[in-house]
Structure formats: C-alpha cells, structure tokens
C-alpha cells in the first residue's frame, strides 16, 4: 500500500511533466515549477522540488541544467512526453488519465 506522501510525490511528478509538456520549448525553471505545483495544491520547498526534478532526470523524463545563481531549468525529454501522452509508463510517476 502506498502512503499519502508517496501518492503526493507521484502526483506532483506528473504535474511537473504536464507543465513542461505544455511549454512551447518544453522548459521551466524551478521557480516556475514551484508556482505550477502551488496552483495544484502541492506546496513544497524548493529543495523538495529539485529532488523531484533530479528523480525525473534519473529516469530520463527530463534534462536539468544549472544555469547559475541557484536556478535549475528542467526540459522535458521524448520519454517524458511519451509518459504524458500515455505511450509509456514511468516508474514513480502517476499515470495520466485517459483524455486528460
């Protein structure tokens, strides 16, 4: 059984991937990711958000770039898009609903 914190984490990862997929260039900085997560009720620290971005990078769903001044820019990969579009299933990321 998954505990509530795990549920929140896998949901937040999907929110991150969806937000990145909606961007014309597939990128957001960690501050904008925080704003998106806040709008979905995921009020988390910047460190927690960066942990999720690292996890998503480790599984190949995003590529992170440290652009200096403590700012991380995440860019969705083809694998991340495939998850959002339900062509693949990534471990540790909520599966998108059909038609959503």
């Amino acid at each position: 059984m998954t505990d509530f914190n795990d549920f929140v984490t896998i949901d937040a990862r999907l929110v991150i991937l969806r937000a990145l997929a909606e961007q014309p260039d597939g990128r957001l900085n960690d501050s904008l990711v925080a704003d998106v997560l806040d709008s979905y009720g995921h009020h988390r620290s910047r460190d927690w958000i960066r942990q999720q971005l690292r996890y998503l990078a480790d599984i190949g769903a995003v590529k992170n770039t440290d652009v200096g001044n403590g700012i991380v820019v995440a860019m969705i990969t083809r694998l991340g898009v495939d998850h959002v579009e339900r062509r693949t299933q990534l471990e540790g990321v909520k599966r998108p609903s059909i038609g959503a």
Side-chain angles (χ1 to χ4, degrees):
M1 175 164 220
T2 304
D3 72 13
F4 184 72
N5 285 331
D6 290 341
F7 174 80
V8 168
T9 299
I10 64 172
D11 185 67
R13 291 173 182 159
L14 175 59
V15 169
I16 292 168
L17 290 180
R18 281 184 170 161
L20 290 169
E22 291 172 358
Q23 301 309 305
D25 65 354
R27 299 172 197 221
L28 287 171
N29 67 44
D30 55 347
S31 178
L32 291 173
V33 170
D35 291 345
V36 169
L37 288 172
D38 281 347
S39 73
Y40 281 87
H42 294 293
H43 306 291
R44 299 289 185 217
S45 71
R46 184 71 61 88
D47 286 339
W48 187 89
I49 291 165
R50 288 183 182 156
Q51 283 180 321
Q52 304 321 308
L53 292 175
R54 281 191 297 274
Y55 177 86
L56 291 169
D58 288 346
I59 64 170
V62 303
K63 181 181 180 212
N64 296 320
T65 304
D66 185 340
V67 296
N69 295 324
I71 299 169
V72 174
V73 173
M75 181 177 73
I76 195 164
T77 65
R78 170 47 52 193
L79 184 60
V81 171
D82 285 347
H83 180 85
V84 170
E85 295 178 354
R86 296 181 53 89
R87 287 192 291 268
T88 193
Q89 172 66 44
L90 295 174
E91 183 71 29
V93 182
K94 184 177 178 182
R95 185 157 174 86
S97 301
I98 294 175

